[in-house]
Amino acid sequence: MDNILVGTASWTDKTLIDCGRFYPKDCKSAEARLRYYATQFPLVEVDSSYYGVPTPVNAQLWAQRTPPGFVFNVKAFRLFTGHQTSPDVLHKDLREALGPNPPKMMYYRDTPAEIRDELWRRFIEALAPLRANGKLGAVHFQFAPWLLRNRDGMAHVRHCVERMPGHLLAVEFRNKSWFEGEHLERTLDFERELGVVHTIVDAPQGFANVVPCVWAVTNPALAIVRLHGRNAATWNIKGATSASSRFDYWYSREELAAMAPEIGRMAGLAQHVHVLFNTNYEDQGQESARLMRQVLASTGSQRT
């Protein structure tokens, strides 16, 4: 099967650059790093779009700096996914539109409707260059851990889908209520109804903000496997100097080999499979992605 792409979440993480092991010494600029990354992997997840709405100019540069067939999955802006958001990350005119005394933190439900509408418009506008160049994969919605499987939670997921017609959306839940007991099949049916891509999550178990690894395809266009590592000690770490410290984990060949049959099964059910390593502390994600490609190649499942 040649429909499996392997890559990492982000190519610009500070710890990755600082460790000096992945990028050649002459890769000093943003352009050089992306061009080099694209020689190593055919897929990447844009992480910066979670922290602030990107610009069409940036997306056009991403498209220009990568070869034909390269794929970008783009994380949805944090306000859309229910996370607390500082007004400081908004564009200047939107910050000013909040008035002289904006809140220190904003949530989607409390944001004025006209500002929400404009943020959706700008986010979709920013994706347009990637779509035009055939390089936009899925728009990845990693919902806040407090988004429960209840009437309000399901309504918000549906709302996000309705705001992005014509786009392929992937959803990643981070509250176990979505997959507890009988909710598991109901959640998968809900994802199929909406036409969104179910995200298969590998992460340390036993936490309220972790969902089980559910191997399922809900949209025949794509399956996504997203690997966060299995470091229970750092999963909910407080006061870390870098967010990537949560995902400090080296996958072993044996752990990856155990997943290979399921990944191969997903490749038989979906047109494409994206395997993304979110172990973004230093070069752990890149090294694990290379190892996964070797493992899949040994089973005849990896695109070359």
Side-chain angles (χ1 to χ4, degrees):
M1 292 171 285
D2 62 355
N3 58 340
I4 303 171
L5 301 184
V6 180
T8 67
S10 176
W11 70 95
T12 60
D13 190 88
K14 185 177 186 299
T15 63
L16 170 63
I17 295 170
D18 289 348
C19 81
R21 289 189 295 271
F22 178 67
Y23 290 112
K25 294 186 183 301
D26 59 349
C27 281
K28 299 294 186 182
S29 67
E31 177 177 357
R33 290 177 185 132
L34 180 54
R35 288 189 183 277
Y36 176 77
Y37 177 96
T39 68
Q40 304 299 300
F41 300 104
L43 167 72
V44 78
E45 181 182 281
V46 178
D47 181 62
S48 59
S49 52
Y50 167 80
Y51 296 98
V53 175
T55 66
V57 171
N58 276 344
Q60 183 61 43
L61 290 174
W62 296 337
Q64 291 173 356
R65 293 169 179 175
T66 50
F70 190 87
V71 178
F72 292 88
N73 286 354
V74 180
K75 284 188 76 173
F77 180 47
R78 62 182 299 152
L79 189 74
F80 302 156
T81 54
H83 292 86
Q84 69 273 30
T85 305
S86 169
D88 293 343
V89 305
L90 302 183
H91 298 123
K92 182 180 178 182
D93 62 322
L94 297 184
R95 292 199 305 271
E96 293 174 347
L98 289 170
N101 297 302
K104 291 185 178 180
M105 286 291 171
M106 303 163 52
Y107 287 88
Y108 189 83
R109 64 180 177 272
D110 303 320
T111 303
E114 61 274 15
I115 291 180
R116 293 199 312 237
D117 289 346
E118 183 60 15
L119 284 168
W120 281 110
R121 188 194 70 77
R122 293 185 188 187
F123 184 69
I124 291 171
E125 180 183 54
L127 301 179
L130 293 178
R131 291 189 75 193
N133 285 275
K135 294 185 175 182
L136 179 63
V139 184
H140 188 81
F141 282 73
Q142 187 182 44
F143 288 105
W146 43 87
L147 188 85
L148 304 176
R149 192 192 186 282
N150 55 24
R151 181 179 299 178
D152 289 343
M154 295 175 73
H156 184 70
V157 176
R158 189 181 299 276
H159 170 75
C160 291
V161 174
E162 292 171 348
R163 295 307 303 248
M164 298 203 68
H167 293 78
L168 180 62
L169 270 60
V171 299
E172 180 178 346
F173 297 114
R174 291 196 295 161
N175 187 287
K176 63 182 182 180
S177 65
W178 289 90
F179 296 103
E180 284 185 317
E182 62 186 11
H183 288 170
L184 190 156
E185 289 300 330
R186 292 179 179 177
T187 293
L188 293 176
D189 287 342
F190 177 60
E191 291 174 323
R192 292 185 183 104
E193 175 201 342
L194 296 180
V196 299
V197 177
H198 165 71
T199 301
I200 301 160
V201 175
D202 187 77
Q205 296 298 301
F207 300 93
N209 60 344
V210 175
V211 298
C213 185
V214 178
W215 294 92
V217 172
T218 57
N219 185 313
L222 179 65
I224 291 180
V225 184
R226 203 158 179 265
L227 299 100
H228 298 283
R230 300 176 180 179
N231 191 338
T234 59
W235 185 251
N236 287 321
I237 191 172
K238 303 295 183 183
T241 56
S242 170
S244 61
S245 299
R246 290 185 60 207
F247 312 109
D248 182 0
Y249 191 77
W250 290 102
Y251 277 97
S252 69
R253 178 179 289 271
E254 291 72 24
E255 288 171 327
L256 300 182
M259 294 184 235
E262 287 289 359
I263 293 172
R265 187 170 69 85
M266 297 299 101
L269 298 172
Q271 186 178 0
H272 300 284
V273 178
H274 291 175
V275 181
L276 283 155
F277 284 85
N278 191 45
T279 46
N280 57 356
Y281 181 69
E282 297 187 346
D283 60 341
Q284 288 177 338
Q286 286 70 29
E287 287 303 306
S288 292
R290 285 170 170 162
L291 183 57
M292 176 62 93
R293 293 181 74 174
Q294 293 174 14
V295 168
L296 292 174
S298 70
T299 66
S301 300
Q302 174 60 42
R303 168 178 167 176
T304 57

